[in-house]
Amino acid sequence: MLSYHLTTSGSHEQPQAKTYHLTNFKNLSGRLNAFVLTCKVARLSPHTIRYYTYALNSFLGYCQTLGINTVEEIEANHVRLYLVKLQERNNPTSVLDYYKAVKRFFNWLIEEGVLSKSPLATIKPPRTEQKIIRPFTRQQIEDLLTTCGDSPTGLRNKAMILTMLDTGLRVSEMSAIQLKDVDFDKETIIVMGKGAKQRVVRIGHKAQETILRYLLTRQDECPALWLSTIGTGLSTEGIKVVVRELGKRAGLTGVRCSPHTFRHTFATQALINGAGEFEVQSLLGHSTLVMTKRYTASLKSEHAVQEHKKFSPVDNMRL
């Protein structure tokens, strides 16, 4: 396995003068170091950089076991062998994620002039199952809210649920919200999304009311909107745990109780209530309509099932 590292130099008295050196730039580890540094300069999210580092360490480490020491030696069949190896112990979605990371790495090598062609040029993305993500029902949302209770933590959880449901924010965006980002006069929250792209989302009156009730219970100076039980900002993982535990306590079945399900529920309900695809795309922070159309397709599928009651061929033939 390759180790990712950047060596640094600079005076302890003047940390701002710190410089970075890439060790053995032309070997596999050096290429990875340079790629990660480029991602940092481009201000990709810490989560994305961590994943690229992990996935590419895995791929390039595998290449080393084949006796490969430079990116110029990597061929299409090396990538195919790696993907087959991944398929033995990973689900199709994970394999596709690895593929995307490797493809991005080689595209960067071409952009940098290191390679003239990517070994993935003739390799199609691995197929994945397009499963329908079930949104929360009204009853399930009510059950979750009832489970919260009216303690300070319960009010926080209610506010979190209604904020996720009313905005469709990613869990990473939720955890990053600061008190200064919430403007009750304008009924908005400033959000920092993927790729350091800032956008504004609106919160409805009920969500605003619940957030205010929660904030009135706080007597701290923490700048984060969502406060953990130890007095610090609630992390991404912390929000996931809270939602998961609420789902267990509420006895929810037939639906995945996660922050992403709130995101899906927001998109579905917004479309049902008359929002256009471009509006939903903007509020969700999608760079293209591809993901938004997946929500639309899911909604159309559910609508068609309900409409089948009207046009069922067998029932209408009265056989």
Side-chain angles (χ1 to χ4, degrees), residues 49-70:
I49 293 173
R50 282 195 300 272
Y51 182 73
Y52 279 162
T53 304
Y54 174 81
L56 293 172
N57 255 316
S58 172
F59 171 65
L60 297 177
Y62 174 73
C63 289
Q64 281 189 327
T65 67
L66 301 177
I68 295 171
N69 296 305
T70 65

Side-chain angles (χ1 to χ4, degrees), residues 35-97:
F35 174 70
V36 172
L37 185 58
T38 301
C39 292
K40 287 178 179 289
V41 171
R43 296 188 65 192
L44 298 189
S45 72
H47 173 76
T48 299
I49 293 173
R50 282 195 300 272
Y51 182 73
Y52 279 162
T53 304
Y54 174 81
L56 293 172
N57 255 316
S58 172
F59 171 65
L60 297 177
Y62 174 73
C63 289
Q64 281 189 327
T65 67
L66 301 177
I68 295 171
N69 296 305
T70 65
V71 293
E72 290 86 350
E73 299 173 62
I74 300 175
E75 299 176 358
N77 279 335
H78 297 140
V79 179
R80 292 188 180 101
L81 285 170
Y82 176 68
L83 293 175
V84 169
K85 183 179 176 66
L86 287 177
Q87 290 169 351
E88 295 172 356
R89 62 180 189 276
N90 293 277
N91 62 51
T93 300
S94 294
V95 176
L96 179 61
D97 288 340

Side-chain angles (χ1 to χ4, degrees), residues 20-293:
Y20 292 91
H21 300 285
L22 294 168
T23 308
N24 298 324
F25 177 73
K26 293 187 177 181
N27 64 16
L28 295 180
S29 183
R31 296 296 188 193
L32 175 56
N33 290 345
F35 174 70
V36 172
L37 185 58
T38 301
C39 292
K40 287 178 179 289
V41 171
R43 296 188 65 192
L44 298 189
S45 72
H47 173 76
T48 299
I49 293 173
R50 282 195 300 272
Y51 182 73
Y52 279 162
T53 304
Y54 174 81
L56 293 172
N57 255 316
S58 172
F59 171 65
L60 297 177
Y62 174 73
C63 289
Q64 281 189 327
T65 67
L66 301 177
I68 295 171
N69 296 305
T70 65
V71 293
E72 290 86 350
E73 299 173 62
I74 300 175
E75 299 176 358
N77 279 335
H78 297 140
V79 179
R80 292 188 180 101
L81 285 170
Y82 176 68
L83 293 175
V84 169
K85 183 179 176 66
L86 287 177
Q87 290 169 351
E88 295 172 356
R89 62 180 189 276
N90 293 277
N91 62 51
T93 300
S94 294
V95 176
L96 179 61
D97 288 340
Y98 277 97
Y99 169 89
K100 289 178 179 178
V102 174
K103 183 176 181 178
R104 179 68 191 92
F105 176 62
F106 279 106
N107 286 346
W108 170 78
L109 289 169
I110 292 172
E111 292 166 6
E112 291 290 307
V114 177
L115 300 177
S116 59
K117 183 179 179 182
S118 168
L120 280 80
T122 58
I123 302 176
K124 294 182 179 180
R127 292 184 179 181
T128 59
E129 297 176 349
Q130 294 295 331
K131 293 183 178 180
I132 294 177
I133 303 173
R134 295 190 178 279
F136 289 117
T137 64
R138 178 189 175 91
Q139 185 60 55
Q140 288 170 335
I141 295 295
E142 291 180 352
D143 291 344
L144 286 170
L145 292 172
T146 300
T147 300
C148 292
D150 290 318
S151 67
T153 300
L155 291 175
R156 180 204 68 186
N157 293 344
K158 282 183 179 178
M160 283 171 46
I161 285 173
L162 294 183
T163 300
M164 287 188 287
L165 184 62
D166 212 34
T167 62
L169 293 181
R170 300 178 178 94
V171 64
S172 58
E173 296 168 343
M174 278 286 291
S175 67
I177 299 174
Q178 303 291 291
L179 291 169
K180 62 180 177 60
D181 297 328
V182 185
D183 189 327
F184 289 104
D185 291 329
K186 294 181 179 179
E187 303 182 332
T188 59
I189 299 176
I190 296 175
V191 177
M192 185 59 72
K194 282 187 175 181
K197 295 177 182 177
Q198 194 177 77
R199 69 182 191 282
V200 176
V201 297
R202 181 183 177 272
I203 40 174
H205 298 148
K206 182 65 177 179
Q208 291 178 56
E209 176 190 328
T210 312
I211 293 173
L212 282 170
R213 285 187 64 199
Y214 153 62
L215 291 178
L216 288 174
T217 69
R218 288 180 50 173
Q219 297 179 342
D220 59 88
E221 296 183 359
C222 180
L225 175 59
W226 311 116
L227 194 68
S228 71
T229 53
I230 61 173
T232 59
L234 196 59
S235 67
T236 295
E237 190 58 36
I239 294 176
K240 290 179 181 179
V241 170
V242 168
V243 173
R244 188 163 56 242
E245 289 303 311
L246 285 173
K248 289 179 181 178
R249 284 163 47 192
L252 299 193
T253 58
V255 67
R256 181 187 175 197
C257 198
S258 72
H260 189 73
T261 305
F262 282 104
R263 186 168 165 82
H264 182 80
T265 306
F266 162 80
T268 303
Q269 287 298 315
L271 291 165
I272 288 174
N273 294 334
E277 286 185 344
F278 287 104
E279 292 169 317
V280 174
Q281 175 194 350
S282 175
L283 291 171
L284 288 176
H286 288 158
S287 57
T288 69
L289 269 175
V290 174
M291 281 301 301
T292 309
K293 285 184 177 295

